[in-house]
Amino acid sequence: MAEDRKTVAEINEKLKSGQAVVMTAMEFKKEVRRGHKFKVSDVDVVTTGTRGVMSGTSAMLAIPLAEHGSFKKARQMWLNGVPCILSSNTEEVTGIVEAVVYGTAESRDHHGHYGGGNLLRDLVEGKEVDLECLTSEGNTICTSITLAQLKFARLYNFRNCFQNYMAFGNFKNHRLYRENPTSIFACRPVPLMRGLTVSGSGELNPVENDRYSKVMKSGTKILLNGAPGVIVGNGTRSSPAKRCLCVAGDMADMDPQYMGGFRTSFGVEVTNGLAIPFPITDREVLDGLANCLDETIPLQIADLGDRIGIFGITYADIWKGAPLEVEFDAERCICCSFQCPAEYYCPMKAISWKDKRIDQSLCVACGACTSNCLGGAFKGKGDIPKGCMGTVHAFERDIPIIFRQSNRYRSEKAAEHLKDLMLKGEFLLSDSDLELKFWNL
């Protein structure tokens, strides 16, 4: 094995024998900041990860609805009130219906509060979901199903893991936002010059780390929501400057901590988590990782009305010293005279004012509670001003970060989980030469 070059096959042999050196992106970049100059021979794999809102999420489900010959065709179907898209021009005499669920589809029963993302997490958690189907014969079939009963359940995420998105605020009092102050990037209307919303896990993001397009190929094995998955190709809206991925994976072994619905002021959204291994095959891959630090990744601040960049910062402004979790002080929880604002605006429904608690398995540390709690019961862990998740200095003032759509805590957990699997020899690297293609640029 050459000093400055390794093959995927050689690294896999080291993984099988337990001799591979595997580091998470956090561990690797910590050493880089300390001044360590890595050689290709020093490390074999670096694991990256991200978790956040990923709108382009769907699932194909094969649902055993009724006995063979019970009906000829399904016309409409809802799962927990979430509408499904059914296969067309197919006779379903077998009683099995193929249906697509979009992560951003809203439930007819809980408009704006429950959607496809919530449904997919409920299925992965093993919960029963209510099914209603209208057949071509005019009958209505009502039953309940679980993930274990399905014949097929696979996530197809066609626009995930964006590279270097944008931070947003209400800076121009733009007409479009003034007339309709809703956005997928906020949980409530953003006051003029008084709040910033951000997306992206920065230096942990797999796409950010593959600056030379050396690692990620069509066919690359990944973890999607903690379960084995694969990169299909570039995602929709992907460009060389702002790439994203199309990925797929079976739902059977997914971990719900990386999944869920996510409510914004515009409507329901969906979250996912990805972890992608970087085999250190040559100097170029190594340098790409070493040079990808929060302080080197540019981030444009844009207005919510027109989404045009107007001020440049870096991801270090967002994540350096930032709290990765939210603390809850029950003693500061006051008796609101109306519905608890922190509970109402929590995009993951992780807060219960009645029970005086926050469900950390759901919490994504977005910070909505910190800026909406009247009693100041919620606070980012660490030395952070109350009412926000940090501040960014821009436009000659300190602007509070009031909403984050990326969960860096579970981004780190995803990378750590992948490292553990690889050290056990339970996850080996794939080797593909199928380049990711861009369409009609």
Side-chain angles (χ1 to χ4, degrees):
M1 186 160 40
E3 181 71 17
D4 60 349
R5 188 168 295 275
K6 294 183 294 226
T7 67
V8 168
E10 289 169 332
I11 297 174
N12 274 338
E13 288 303 315
K14 294 181 72 174
L15 288 168
K16 292 176 186 177
S17 65
Q19 296 177 333
V21 177
V22 182
M23 304 177 73
T24 65
M26 301 80 74
E27 294 168 335
F28 179 83
K29 292 164 195 287
K30 183 178 181 180
E31 292 301 314
V32 169
R33 285 192 174 91
R34 286 177 175 174
H36 185 84
K37 304 296 184 183
F38 282 96
K39 300 190 296 289
V40 173
S41 57
D42 290 338
V43 59
D44 297 301
V45 182
V46 173
T47 60
T48 63
T50 190
R51 193 275 175 104
V53 172
M54 301 186 187
S55 303
T57 298
S58 64
M60 169 62 81
L61 310 176
I63 304 170
L65 183 58
E67 294 182 0
H68 189 105
S70 298
F71 64 94
K72 191 170 184 179
K73 186 174 180 63
R75 293 294 187 191
Q76 291 180 284
M77 182 183 291
W78 298 264
L79 296 173
N80 279 356
V82 177
C84 302
I85 300 174
L86 304 182
S87 57
S88 60
N89 300 323
T90 302
E91 290 188 352
E92 290 147 349
V93 177
T94 60
I96 298 175
V97 178
E98 293 181 356
V100 173
V101 176
Y102 280 105
T104 53
E106 291 193 351
S107 171
R108 64 179 184 183
D109 303 325
H110 306 281
H111 181 72
H113 292 268
Y114 188 96
N118 305 89
L119 170 67
L120 296 175
R121 176 164 176 152
D122 283 347
L123 283 169
V124 169
E125 286 183 331
K127 295 179 180 178
E128 284 192 344
V129 301
D130 295 328
L131 183 155
E132 180 181 345
C133 179
L134 304 181
T135 71
S136 56
E137 292 78 17
N139 299 322
T140 301
I141 300 175
C142 294
T143 185
S144 60
I145 60 165
T146 65
L147 180 64
Q149 293 174 293
L150 299 181
K151 301 296 184 182
F152 184 95
R154 183 172 295 161
L155 248 59
Y156 293 97
N157 299 353
F158 46 86
R159 186 174 64 253
N160 283 197
C161 194
F162 255 102
Q163 175 190 13
N164 189 20
Y165 208 75
M166 281 184 169
F168 293 99
N170 180 10
F171 303 111
K172 301 178 180 178
N173 197 24
H174 195 283
R175 177 185 59 82
L176 291 176
Y177 191 67
R178 187 173 64 251
E179 294 175 355
N180 183 17
T182 62
S183 172
I184 62 172
F185 300 106
C187 64
R188 65 178 300 179
V190 179
L192 185 66
M193 296 297 290
R194 289 174 52 195
L196 195 68
T197 78
V198 298
S199 298
S201 57
E203 65 185 32
L204 304 187
N205 188 325
V207 185
E208 295 284 4
N209 282 279
D210 195 17
R211 293 185 179 183
Y212 307 118
S213 299
K214 290 275 295 181
V215 174
M216 294 184 294
K217 312 286 185 184
S218 294
T220 297
K221 280 175 57 180
I222 66 171
L223 289 183
L224 175 57
N225 296 327
V230 65
I231 295 176
V232 178
N234 279 319
T236 61
R237 306 185 194 175
S238 187
S239 69
K242 288 186 178 294
R243 294 173 296 160
C244 65
L245 299 176
C246 176
V247 301
D250 287 340
M251 293 173 58
D253 298 317
M254 287 187 176
D255 187 337
Q257 72 169 301
Y258 301 110
M259 307 174 65
F262 190 94
R263 187 164 61 94
T264 72
S265 61
F266 189 78
V268 294
E269 277 289 343
V270 56
T271 66
N272 292 295
L274 278 72
I276 300 180
F278 276 56
I280 309 303
T281 53
D282 56 41
R283 187 80 230 174
E284 203 169 21
V285 174
L286 192 66
D287 288 345
L289 286 159
N291 294 328
C292 179
L293 302 174
D294 285 331
E295 53 268 32
T296 67
I297 305 174
L299 178 62
Q300 281 285 306
I301 295 177
D303 187 82
L304 283 162
D306 58 21
R307 300 191 186 181
I308 297 174
I310 52 179
F311 193 89
I313 57 175
T314 71
Y315 271 98
D317 293 295
I318 304 300
W319 290 118
K320 185 178 181 180
L324 301 188
E325 297 179 90
V326 170
E327 294 179 329
F328 174 60
D329 183 357
E331 293 184 359
R332 296 185 64 91
C333 184
I334 64 175
C335 182
C336 297
S337 58
F338 50 91
Q339 183 170 14
C340 168
E343 180 181 58
Y344 180 80
Y345 288 113
C346 176
M348 294 291 294
K349 298 193 291 187
I351 294 171
S352 171
W353 173 81
K354 179 181 178 181
D355 297 331
K356 300 290 190 292
R357 72 182 186 90
I358 180 170
D359 185 343
Q360 293 293 349
S361 69
L362 283 169
C363 177
V364 294
C366 67
C369 55
T370 67
S371 59
N372 287 293
C373 178
L374 300 180
F378 299 90
K379 181 181 180 297
K381 284 188 176 181
D383 186 20
I384 297 294
K386 291 183 179 179
C388 66
M389 299 299 279
T391 59
V392 168
H393 191 75
F395 310 109
E396 300 182 346
R397 66 182 67 194
D398 289 332
I399 302 176
I401 299 170
I402 59 173
F403 196 57
R404 301 189 307 205
Q405 292 191 300
S406 294
N407 181 202
R408 184 118 156 188
Y409 175 76
R410 284 197 172 82
S411 298
E412 293 186 0
K413 290 295 181 185
E416 290 168 357
H417 178 52
L418 178 54
K419 173 187 173 179
D420 290 342
L421 292 178
M422 300 192 83
L423 288 176
K424 294 175 183 176
E426 297 176 6
F427 189 105
L428 299 180
L429 299 163
S430 57
D431 197 1
S432 172
D433 60 358
L434 296 175
E435 299 291 336
L436 303 184
K437 294 182 179 180
F438 296 100
W439 286 84
N440 298 324
L441 295 179

